[in-house]
Amino acid sequence: MSGAIDLTVMYAMHDALRRELAHLDRITTAADRDPRHVLPTAAGWKLFKAALRAHHTAEDEALWPSLRQGLAGRPKDLALVEVMEVEHAAIEPVVRAVDDALADPGLGPLLPGQLIDALTRGLAGHLEHEENGALPLIRQVLTAEQSARLCRVHARHIGREDPLLLPWLLDGADERTAARLLARLPASTYAACTTRWIPEYAALDRWSPGTAA
């Protein structure tokens, strides 16, 4: 048996990524908003990319290797883990392609919009696939120790990116989830998050141009 594991961070990250995908969809489909004029200098795009990078890196380092170990001798389930990793690898090039398209002044809004749509559909599909396919396996075979390590690695990568990522992750979380996420923080980080980072984030109109530091 895997013992008690905690997937709070994973579910919170998935919810936050879906929240931001909805913002990207609105920017792409709104008649009066050109993604080329919004995303390059919007804090929301910067935070989205940083969170996605932190999340996938943590899974690549601490989740999939542990899951492969626990699923040894189960080729069908191991094949699913391989698919998860392939899906990860396919998402990052689309993010880079969006940035390249946004930076090319010779392009109209059509290509960036198409790429953002592809990113939205690809990532949303991956999150659903992970929750429906991989998470049941994670609950079966991941040990409490491996789960705790995943949480630590996840927190480390988030902390390396941007202080605003912590309140970004908490944005919209229910009270119980927020309390569990905050309880993991060292005292100094907790103090900084609650007294400085959350108010700074709350004051940020992150999907407006010129808000990225």
Side-chain angles (χ1 to χ4, degrees):
M1 297 293 292
S2 62
I5 65 171
D6 188 351
L7 298 176
T8 303
V9 175
M10 182 175 291
Y11 275 115
M13 180 60 76
H14 283 198
D15 289 345
L17 289 171
R18 287 190 175 103
R19 179 196 68 219
E20 302 304 277
L21 288 177
H23 283 288
L24 284 170
D25 183 65
R26 283 192 288 271
I27 291 169
T28 304
T29 57
D32 60 343
R33 302 193 81 180
D34 185 335
R36 297 172 303 163
H37 300 155
V38 177
L39 298 189
T41 61
W45 178 238
K46 176 185 174 184
L47 289 167
F48 169 80
K49 291 187 293 181
L52 183 62
R53 181 169 54 246
H55 178 55
H56 281 182
T57 301
E59 289 186 336
D60 290 341
E61 288 183 6
L63 177 58
W64 308 131
S66 296
L67 201 53
R68 281 197 298 270
Q69 180 182 349
L71 294 172
R74 297 167 58 173
K76 182 178 178 180
D77 292 332
L78 286 170
L80 177 62
V81 176
E82 292 181 7
V83 171
M84 293 294 103
E85 293 178 299
V86 168
E87 290 177 358
H88 274 198
I91 291 169
E92 180 57 31
V94 183
V95 174
R96 292 197 299 268
V98 171
D99 276 334
D100 290 343
L102 293 172
D104 189 338
L107 294 176
L110 182 60
L111 180 58
Q114 290 173 332
L115 289 168
I116 293 167
D117 183 59
L119 172 63
T120 299
R121 287 185 286 106
L123 180 55
H126 169 67
L127 296 176
E128 183 177 2
H129 193 191
E130 190 170 278
E131 290 173 357
N132 292 337
L135 291 190
L137 296 178
I138 291 168
R139 289 192 178 94
Q140 286 178 26
V141 305
L142 206 70
T143 67
E145 181 181 352
Q146 289 168 333
S147 174
R149 179 174 180 269
L150 174 62
C151 290
R152 290 194 301 271
V153 172
H154 216 292
R156 185 172 74 245
H157 283 292
I158 290 174
R160 285 176 177 171
E161 292 288 355
D162 192 315
L164 290 180
L165 273 188
L166 279 171
W168 179 95
L169 186 61
L170 293 165
D171 186 2
D174 60 67
E175 186 175 340
R176 180 173 179 268
T177 297
R180 294 182 74 170
L181 292 172
L182 287 169
R184 302 174 187 274
L185 302 177
S188 59
T189 306
Y190 178 90
C193 185
T194 54
T195 62
R196 297 202 316 273
W197 301 342
I198 289 177
E200 289 172 5
Y201 176 85
L204 184 65
D205 185 8
R206 65 186 185 282
W207 288 105
S208 292
T211 52

mmCIF file of all heavy atoms in Angstrom, residues 84-108:
data_model
loop_
_atom_site.group_PDB
_atom_site.id
_atom_site.type_symbol
_atom_site.label_atom_id
_atom_site.label_comp_id
_atom_site.label_asym_id
_atom_site.label_seq_id
_atom_site.Cartn_x
_atom_site.Cartn_y
_atom_site.Cartn_z
ATOM 1 N N MET A 84 2.568 10.548 -20.399
ATOM 2 C CA MET A 84 2.577 11.787 -19.622
ATOM 3 C C MET A 84 3.840 12.598 -19.914
ATOM 4 O O MET A 84 3.793 13.815 -20.098
ATOM 5 C CB MET A 84 2.505 11.471 -18.122
ATOM 6 C CG MET A 84 1.211 10.861 -17.620
ATOM 7 S SD MET A 84 -0.223 11.961 -17.730
ATOM 8 C CE MET A 84 -1.022 11.255 -19.183
ATOM 9 N N GLU A 85 4.966 11.918 -19.973
ATOM 10 C CA GLU A 85 6.229 12.601 -20.224
ATOM 11 C C GLU A 85 6.291 13.151 -21.651
ATOM 12 O O GLU A 85 6.815 14.242 -21.889
ATOM 13 C CB GLU A 85 7.388 11.647 -19.953
ATOM 14 C CG GLU A 85 7.504 11.276 -18.475
ATOM 15 C CD GLU A 85 8.628 10.289 -18.204
ATOM 16 O OE1 GLU A 85 8.589 9.169 -18.758
ATOM 17 O OE2 GLU A 85 9.531 10.639 -17.425
ATOM 18 N N VAL A 86 5.734 12.404 -22.596
ATOM 19 C CA VAL A 86 5.685 12.884 -23.979
ATOM 20 C C VAL A 86 4.803 14.137 -24.066
ATOM 21 O O VAL A 86 5.142 15.104 -24.770
ATOM 22 C CB VAL A 86 5.163 11.778 -24.917
ATOM 23 C CG1 VAL A 86 4.832 12.346 -26.297
ATOM 24 C CG2 VAL A 86 6.191 10.666 -25.046
ATOM 25 N N GLU A 87 3.687 14.122 -23.361
ATOM 26 C CA GLU A 87 2.815 15.294 -23.367
ATOM 27 C C GLU A 87 3.516 16.504 -22.764
ATOM 28 O O GLU A 87 3.380 17.631 -23.270
ATOM 29 C CB GLU A 87 1.523 14.981 -22.612
ATOM 30 C CG GLU A 87 0.616 14.004 -23.347
ATOM 31 C CD GLU A 87 -0.632 13.633 -22.586
ATOM 32 O OE1 GLU A 87 -0.802 14.116 -21.434
ATOM 33 O OE2 GLU A 87 -1.447 12.882 -23.133
ATOM 34 N N HIS A 88 4.261 16.296 -21.683
ATOM 35 C CA HIS A 88 5.066 17.384 -21.122
ATOM 36 C C HIS A 88 5.991 17.962 -22.177
ATOM 37 O O HIS A 88 6.066 19.171 -22.368
ATOM 38 C CB HIS A 88 5.918 16.862 -19.957
ATOM 39 C CG HIS A 88 5.226 16.867 -18.644
ATOM 40 N ND1 HIS A 88 5.895 16.797 -17.438
ATOM 41 C CD2 HIS A 88 3.915 16.937 -18.322
ATOM 42 C CE1 HIS A 88 5.029 16.825 -16.456
ATOM 43 N NE2 HIS A 88 3.826 16.897 -16.961
ATOM 44 N N ALA A 89 6.720 17.076 -22.834
ATOM 45 C CA ALA A 89 7.721 17.513 -23.803
ATOM 46 C C ALA A 89 7.096 18.251 -24.980
ATOM 47 O O ALA A 89 7.747 19.100 -25.602
ATOM 48 C CB ALA A 89 8.516 16.304 -24.309
ATOM 49 N N ALA A 90 5.828 17.968 -25.279
ATOM 50 C CA ALA A 90 5.171 18.610 -26.414
ATOM 51 C C ALA A 90 4.653 20.002 -26.087
ATOM 52 O O ALA A 90 4.443 20.817 -26.994
ATOM 53 C CB ALA A 90 4.014 17.738 -26.904
ATOM 54 N N ILE A 91 4.450 20.306 -24.818
ATOM 55 C CA ILE A 91 3.854 21.586 -24.438
ATOM 56 C C ILE A 91 4.866 22.725 -24.495
ATOM 57 O O ILE A 91 4.580 23.819 -24.994
ATOM 58 C CB ILE A 91 3.213 21.477 -23.038
ATOM 59 C CG1 ILE A 91 1.967 20.575 -23.109
ATOM 60 C CG2 ILE A 91 2.840 22.849 -22.479
ATOM 61 C CD1 ILE A 91 1.403 20.185 -21.765
ATOM 62 N N GLU A 92 6.073 22.499 -24.002
ATOM 63 C CA GLU A 92 7.063 23.575 -23.931
ATOM 64 C C GLU A 92 7.392 24.169 -25.300
ATOM 65 O O GLU A 92 7.502 25.395 -25.428
ATOM 66 C CB GLU A 92 8.337 23.071 -23.245
ATOM 67 C CG GLU A 92 9.434 24.117 -23.116
ATOM 68 C CD GLU A 92 9.005 25.371 -22.371
ATOM 69 O OE1 GLU A 92 8.147 25.268 -21.473
ATOM 70 O OE2 GLU A 92 9.523 26.454 -22.707
ATOM 71 N N PRO A 93 7.560 23.370 -26.366
ATOM 72 C CA PRO A 93 7.812 23.984 -27.673
ATOM 73 C C PRO A 93 6.683 24.901 -28.144
ATOM 74 O O PRO A 93 6.938 25.884 -28.851
ATOM 75 C CB PRO A 93 7.962 22.767 -28.607
ATOM 76 C CG PRO A 93 8.413 21.665 -27.718
ATOM 77 C CD PRO A 93 7.699 21.903 -26.420
ATOM 78 N N VAL A 94 5.440 24.595 -27.767
ATOM 79 C CA VAL A 94 4.327 25.464 -28.152
ATOM 80 C C VAL A 94 4.429 26.795 -27.409
ATOM 81 O O VAL A 94 4.184 27.857 -27.978
ATOM 82 C CB VAL A 94 2.971 24.780 -27.876
ATOM 83 C CG1 VAL A 94 1.825 25.670 -28.359
ATOM 84 C CG2 VAL A 94 2.894 23.432 -28.568
ATOM 85 N N VAL A 95 4.819 26.756 -26.143
ATOM 86 C CA VAL A 95 5.017 27.997 -25.381
ATOM 87 C C VAL A 95 6.093 28.846 -26.051
ATOM 88 O O VAL A 95 5.921 30.068 -26.233
ATOM 89 C CB VAL A 95 5.400 27.697 -23.920
ATOM 90 C CG1 VAL A 95 5.736 28.988 -23.176
ATOM 91 C CG2 VAL A 95 4.275 26.960 -23.209
ATOM 92 N N ARG A 96 7.199 28.228 -26.443
ATOM 93 C CA ARG A 96 8.268 28.967 -27.116
ATOM 94 C C ARG A 96 7.793 29.520 -28.455
ATOM 95 O O ARG A 96 8.151 30.643 -28.844
ATOM 96 C CB ARG A 96 9.491 28.074 -27.311
ATOM 97 C CG ARG A 96 10.193 27.693 -26.007
ATOM 98 C CD ARG A 96 11.598 27.173 -26.283
ATOM 99 N NE ARG A 96 11.587 25.983 -27.123
ATOM 100 C CZ ARG A 96 11.565 24.739 -26.658
ATOM 101 N NH1 ARG A 96 11.532 24.528 -25.345
ATOM 102 N NH2 ARG A 96 11.563 23.711 -27.477
ATOM 103 N N ALA A 97 6.985 28.740 -29.162
ATOM 104 C CA ALA A 97 6.470 29.202 -30.447
ATOM 105 C C ALA A 97 5.555 30.410 -30.269
ATOM 106 O O ALA A 97 5.568 31.339 -31.098
ATOM 107 C CB ALA A 97 5.721 28.074 -31.153
ATOM 108 N N VAL A 98 4.770 30.425 -29.202
ATOM 109 C CA VAL A 98 3.928 31.590 -28.911
ATOM 110 C C VAL A 98 4.810 32.813 -28.700
ATOM 111 O O VAL A 98 4.564 33.889 -29.273
ATOM 112 C CB VAL A 98 3.039 31.338 -27.679
ATOM 113 C CG1 VAL A 98 2.340 32.636 -27.253
ATOM 114 C CG2 VAL A 98 2.010 30.254 -27.960
ATOM 115 N N ASP A 99 5.837 32.680 -27.883
ATOM 116 C CA ASP A 99 6.724 33.814 -27.625
ATOM 117 C C ASP A 99 7.407 34.290 -28.906
ATOM 118 O O ASP A 99 7.545 35.500 -29.142
ATOM 119 C CB ASP A 99 7.776 33.441 -26.580
ATOM 120 C CG ASP A 99 7.271 33.602 -25.153
ATOM 121 O OD1 ASP A 99 6.363 34.429 -24.941
ATOM 122 O OD2 ASP A 99 7.785 32.904 -24.259
ATOM 123 N N ASP A 100 7.835 33.352 -29.741
ATOM 124 C CA ASP A 100 8.471 33.732 -31.010
ATOM 125 C C ASP A 100 7.490 34.487 -31.896
ATOM 126 O O ASP A 100 7.846 35.496 -32.532
ATOM 127 C CB ASP A 100 8.979 32.487 -31.746
ATOM 128 C CG ASP A 100 10.172 31.841 -31.062
ATOM 129 O OD1 ASP A 100 10.817 32.507 -30.226
ATOM 130 O OD2 ASP A 100 10.463 30.673 -31.362
ATOM 131 N N ALA A 101 6.252 34.023 -31.947
ATOM 132 C CA ALA A 101 5.248 34.688 -32.770
ATOM 133 C C ALA A 101 4.901 36.071 -32.220
ATOM 134 O O ALA A 101 4.704 37.028 -32.979
ATOM 135 C CB ALA A 101 3.983 33.827 -32.863
ATOM 136 N N LEU A 102 4.845 36.189 -30.902
ATOM 137 C CA LEU A 102 4.546 37.488 -30.295
ATOM 138 C C LEU A 102 5.652 38.497 -30.559
ATOM 139 O O LEU A 102 5.402 39.708 -30.629
ATOM 140 C CB LEU A 102 4.344 37.326 -28.785
ATOM 141 C CG LEU A 102 3.118 36.535 -28.332
ATOM 142 C CD1 LEU A 102 3.172 36.291 -26.829
ATOM 143 C CD2 LEU A 102 1.828 37.238 -28.706
ATOM 144 N N ALA A 103 6.877 37.993 -30.692
ATOM 145 C CA ALA A 103 8.029 38.885 -30.865
ATOM 146 C C ALA A 103 8.267 39.266 -32.316
ATOM 147 O O ALA A 103 9.138 40.116 -32.592
ATOM 148 C CB ALA A 103 9.284 38.217 -30.303
ATOM 149 N N ASP A 104 7.560 38.668 -33.248
ATOM 150 C CA ASP A 104 7.776 38.938 -34.675
ATOM 151 C C ASP A 104 6.828 40.029 -35.138
ATOM 152 O O ASP A 104 5.625 39.793 -35.292
ATOM 153 C CB ASP A 104 7.541 37.656 -35.477
ATOM 154 C CG ASP A 104 7.957 37.806 -36.938
ATOM 155 O OD1 ASP A 104 8.026 38.954 -37.427
ATOM 156 O OD2 ASP A 104 8.210 36.774 -37.585
ATOM 157 N N PRO A 105 7.347 41.245 -35.384
ATOM 158 C CA PRO A 105 6.456 42.345 -35.759
ATOM 159 C C PRO A 105 5.823 42.158 -37.131
ATOM 160 O O PRO A 105 4.847 42.830 -37.463
ATOM 161 C CB PRO A 105 7.384 43.569 -35.739
ATOM 162 C CG PRO A 105 8.747 43.014 -35.969
ATOM 163 C CD PRO A 105 8.753 41.662 -35.326
ATOM 164 N N GLY A 106 6.369 41.251 -37.931
ATOM 165 C CA GLY A 106 5.820 41.044 -39.258
ATOM 166 C C GLY A 106 4.590 40.165 -39.291
ATOM 167 O O GLY A 106 3.924 40.060 -40.331
ATOM 168 N N LEU A 107 4.269 39.519 -38.185
ATOM 169 C CA LEU A 107 3.122 38.623 -38.137
ATOM 170 C C LEU A 107 1.873 39.368 -37.685
ATOM 171 O O LEU A 107 1.934 40.276 -36.863
ATOM 172 C CB LEU A 107 3.385 37.464 -37.173
ATOM 173 C CG LEU A 107 4.489 36.473 -37.545
ATOM 174 C CD1 LEU A 107 4.664 35.454 -36.435
ATOM 175 C CD2 LEU A 107 4.168 35.762 -38.860
ATOM 176 N N GLY A 108 0.748 38.965 -38.207
ATOM 177 C CA GLY A 108 -0.520 39.474 -37.721
ATOM 178 C C GLY A 108 -0.954 38.703 -36.487
ATOM 179 O O GLY A 108 -0.228 37.839 -35.988
#
